[in-house]
Amino acid sequence: KRVAAKVKTGILRLCGMQASDGGLGMWVGDRQSWPWASVYAAHFLLEAQAAGHPVPEDLRSSLLAYVRRQLDGGLGADGTLETQAYACYVLALAGKPERAVMERLAGIARADDAGRGATAPGSLDGRQQARFHLAAAWLAAGRRDLAEGLIPQTLPAPRVSRRTAGALGSPVRDRAILVRTLLDVQPDHPALPSLVRWISDSGRAGGWRSTQDTAFALLALGAWIR
């Protein structure tokens, strides 16, 4: 009952943060939507609904429509590729996969591979993070083969610093997305135990420093425990 009450309160708060274009601002009363946070909130609504919590259909549908509009046009500011890939994943979870966009973004996300080789995946920046969102999106859309093709042979090293603008990002969140994607696409991946242990140890040591850290960490650990 306590969990249900808190989820309901969270959903009502999102209703008060919705802008006229259907997205969400950073604070109640903001008129300008924040793309990454809007996709993140749509993800929360889908997870809440899947867990049996009631979600207002008008909030869900208008927010998902905003998420879909984030896929229109090309790539702009830094972080947009990651935001669009995350949007593809959320739409696929909602049963509305945008396969043509997913294919286009996957090609962009792979663009760096030719220059550094298959065994040198680099760091887990926005381009690499997009690959894992897209892998999860293809799996949700019923294409495990395309999902597995986006998982590099050698996993990229998670970033060591926290990003505070755009698509955000942190060592905790990045590892949590890796865990959640690998559990779905390659559940026997040998890196999973060490990634899960790192996330757990970080939380025990007070390293989950934002609500987003905590949310993604709990999603990953919950999936691991199941």
Side-chain angles (χ1 to χ4, degrees):
K1 291 181 179 179
R2 288 175 55 213
V3 171
K6 289 194 176 288
V7 171
K8 181 178 180 180
T9 299
I11 292 173
L12 290 175
R13 181 170 176 82
L14 293 185
C15 291
M17 298 174 73
Q18 193 165 32
S20 59
D21 61 1
L24 300 180
M26 181 180 290
W27 306 106
V28 174
D30 278 358
R31 295 182 179 180
Q32 184 173 0
S33 296
W34 180 6
W36 175 267
S38 299
V39 179
Y40 174 59
H43 186 189
F44 160 69
L45 292 181
L46 294 176
E47 294 283 355
Q49 192 169 47
H53 299 281
V55 173
E57 180 55 33
D58 55 344
L59 173 64
R60 180 184 185 275
S61 59
S62 60
L63 187 52
L64 285 175
Y66 174 88
V67 170
R68 172 60 189 83
R69 290 195 297 275
Q70 300 313 297
L71 304 180
D72 295 334
L75 299 177
D78 182 40
T80 305
L81 173 63
E82 188 176 357
T83 301
Q84 288 190 349
Y86 188 22
C88 284
Y89 171 54
V90 169
L91 290 169
L93 279 183
K96 302 178 179 181
E98 292 288 339
R99 294 178 176 85
V101 180
M102 289 155 58
E103 186 172 354
R104 173 176 62 85
L105 295 180
I108 297 172
R110 290 192 186 99
D112 284 348
D113 290 356
R116 59 177 179 239
T119 59
S123 62
L124 191 58
D125 56 11
R127 188 180 296 266
Q128 290 289 336
Q129 193 77 70
R131 292 180 63 146
F132 291 93
H133 287 307
L134 291 168
W138 276 118
L139 186 69
R143 290 297 303 271
R144 178 175 291 275
D145 56 330
L146 296 179
E148 291 184 343
L150 283 163
I151 305 297
Q153 294 179 6
T154 303
L155 295 182
R159 76 187 91 201
V160 296
S161 59
R162 181 175 296 272
R163 182 177 178 181
T164 57
L168 303 179
S170 72
V172 172
R173 192 201 74 179
D174 293 351
R175 286 175 172 86
I177 291 174
L178 277 179
V179 167
R180 188 74 188 274
T181 303
L182 290 175
L183 281 173
D184 288 341
V185 181
Q186 294 182 353
D188 296 326
H189 197 288
L192 274 168
S194 61
L195 286 168
V196 169
R197 189 177 305 112
W198 189 96
I199 294 170
S200 178
D201 290 345
S202 176
R204 191 175 294 112
W208 300 357
R209 295 173 51 198
S210 71
T211 53
Q212 188 175 206
D213 281 357
T214 302
F216 277 101
L218 287 175
L219 281 173
L221 295 180
W224 170 262
I225 291 169
R226 284 196 301 272

